[in-house]
């Protein structure tokens, strides 16, 4: 039994790998797929930033608010960015040029924590920062949106499964 982490999407039908954790839409019926957790996006910032820009649950216009944009390529064609979030929530944003772009997901969250911008983030990844009060969701829970992709534990449905593999699957799902 071994575990290997790779950003490559491995071919489970070759029989060399028993399970994969994938960030994707729901896999087709050739796979046994267990949703580990869905991905959500929520605008977050430091409390001081929300106060400085007067952000609250009634805010409907962010055109003068610095927003953090991810400037990296994503494999998820339905990745929720600010324009998609704005379309879904009806909250206006300035989609002009000159917005701050970050090369990694963690960078935009760190800048939001530092009080420099409002960032879209996954509450699962940010829970410790939200729980501690370092980040808040000033626009309220109504602005959290579920992404089209989730994190899935997948295996080939037709492949045999051993007791050790069952124990591993059950352990991972319970986490």
């Amino acid at each position: 039994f071994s575990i290997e982490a790779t950003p490559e999407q491995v071919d489970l039908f070759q029989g060399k790998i028993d399970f994969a954790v994938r960030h994707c839409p729901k896999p087709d019926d050739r796979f046994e797929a267990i949703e580990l957790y869905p991905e959500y996006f929520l605008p977050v910032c430091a409390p001081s930033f929300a106060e400085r820009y007067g952000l609250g649950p009634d805010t409907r216009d962010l055109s003068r608010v610095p927003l953090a944009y991810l400037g990296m390529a994503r494999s998820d064609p339905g990745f929720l960015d600010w324009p998609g979030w704005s379309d879904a929530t009806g909250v206006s944003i300035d989609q002009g040029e000159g917005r701050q772009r970050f090369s990694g997901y963690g960078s935009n969250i760190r800048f939001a924590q530092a009080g420099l911008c409002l960032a879209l983030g996954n509450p699962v990844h940010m829970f410790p920062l939200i729980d501690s009060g370092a980040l808040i969701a000033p626009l309220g829970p109504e602005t959290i949106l579920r992404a089209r992709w989730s994190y899935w534990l997948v295996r080939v449905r037709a492949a045999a499964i051993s007791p050790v593999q069952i124990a591993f699957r059950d352990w991972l799902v319970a986490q």
Side-chain angles (χ1 to χ4, degrees), residues 13-131:
F13 290 100
Q14 289 183 356
K16 296 177 183 176
I17 306 291
D18 299 310
F19 292 99
V21 174
R22 291 190 174 154
H23 182 239
C24 61
K26 185 175 194 270
D28 65 53
D29 289 338
R30 297 174 302 152
F31 298 98
E32 174 187 306
I34 300 169
E35 187 176 36
L36 297 174
Y37 67 93
E39 187 162 36
Y40 291 90
F41 290 94
L42 176 70
V44 295
C45 64
S48 61
F49 183 88
E51 186 176 329
R52 185 167 56 251
Y53 285 92
L55 302 178
D58 296 329
T59 301
R60 304 306 299 159
D61 184 3
L62 299 176
S63 61
R64 300 203 183 282
V65 176
L67 305 176
Y69 283 77
L70 282 179
M72 57 190 250
R74 294 285 306 216
S75 59
D76 175 358
F79 178 73
L80 191 62
D81 57 7
W82 282 110
W85 178 88
S86 174
D87 290 345
T89 62
V91 176
S92 300
I93 62 168
D94 175 6
Q95 296 188 42
E97 295 299 314
R99 290 298 190 178
Q100 184 63 50
R101 300 203 179 276
F102 299 96
S103 61
Y105 174 77
S107 298
N108 67 342
I109 300 305
R110 284 190 295 279
F111 275 79
Q113 187 179 359
L116 300 174
C117 60
L118 188 65
L120 278 177
N122 184 330
V124 171
H125 300 153
M126 301 179 303
F127 181 77
L129 295 171
I130 293 170
D131 190 48

